[in-house]
Amino acid sequence: MDLAITLVIQGIVFFLVAWAVMKWIWPPIMDIIEKRQKTIAAGLEAASKSEKDLAEAEARSKEIIREARDRAAHIVDMASKRSNEIVEEAKGTASSEAQRLVAQAHDEVARETTRAREGLRQEVGKLAVDGASRLLGREIDPKAHADLLDKLAAEVARG
């Protein structure tokens, strides 16, 4: 019988302890568990939202990179076109400058030729006066006979 009483007392104590646990210990533990479940659910939801945001951010970054590459290609094309325009302008400027220099050189040659011819005329005139004075045996005045000397120089210049 001792064993039966011990078992009954242990059963009563068990139920009292179980009732006390259910009354005072179980509700705070359940509140803590529910809070933890809510925290975990919120964390999982935030992780899911973060994954979506990350996917959107990656898509936006790829779009931005594509736009930047397109803009860079456009800028390179524009720079290439502008460099070609500059080269063409430089060629045109160089060509016109070369033509101007050639024309200037032709003008300079014509002026030098004219000067040389004028110098030759004067030299021929002097030689003619010297030759005529030697032939005539007297001095010829170049100022008095300037018209005659000019005619002679013109004939010599013509050939």
Side-chain angles (χ1 to χ4, degrees):
M1 190 151 154
D2 281 333
L3 183 60
I5 295 178
T6 305
L7 281 176
V8 171
I9 292 175
Q10 282 182 353
I12 293 172
V13 169
F14 175 76
F15 284 113
L16 285 176
V17 169
W19 177 76
V21 167
M22 295 286 276
K23 180 81 174 170
W24 290 295
I25 296 176
W26 194 258
I29 289 175
M30 288 308 289
D31 287 341
I32 292 171
I33 289 173
E34 287 175 6
K35 285 180 186 176
R36 181 70 181 148
Q37 285 176 343
K38 288 178 184 176
T39 305
I40 290 171
L44 289 174
E45 187 178 324
S48 174
K49 186 176 184 299
S50 295
E51 286 178 1
K52 268 202 302 194
D53 290 346
L54 178 63
E56 289 175 4
E58 285 177 353
R60 277 184 284 167
S61 68
K62 286 179 183 176
E63 180 65 22
I64 289 170
I65 289 171
R66 187 189 59 75
E67 288 176 2
R69 284 185 181 148
D70 289 347
R71 273 191 256 148
H74 179 70
I75 289 170
V76 167
D77 289 343
M78 293 300 293
S80 176
K81 287 178 184 176
R82 182 63 185 141
S83 69
N84 289 340
E85 289 173 3
I86 290 172
V87 166
E88 290 301 319
E89 287 176 13
K91 284 180 182 178
T93 303
S95 176
S96 64
E97 183 66 18
Q99 290 173 354
R100 186 187 66 78
L101 289 175
V102 167
Q104 187 178 10
H106 285 297
D107 290 346
E108 185 67 27
V109 166
R111 281 194 298 273
E112 287 297 320
T113 303
T114 304
R115 282 189 208 131
R117 282 185 183 163
E118 188 61 37
L120 284 175
R121 270 192 205 136
Q122 290 175 358
E123 195 64 35
V124 167
K126 287 180 186 175
L127 287 175
V129 168
D130 285 343
S133 65
R134 285 186 188 161
L135 283 174
L136 296 175
R138 62 183 174 102
E139 185 68 32
I140 297 177
D141 184 18
K143 290 181 184 174
H145 299 93
D147 192 34
L148 179 65
L149 292 175
D150 286 340
K151 285 180 185 178
L152 179 62
E155 285 180 24
V156 169
R158 279 189 224 135

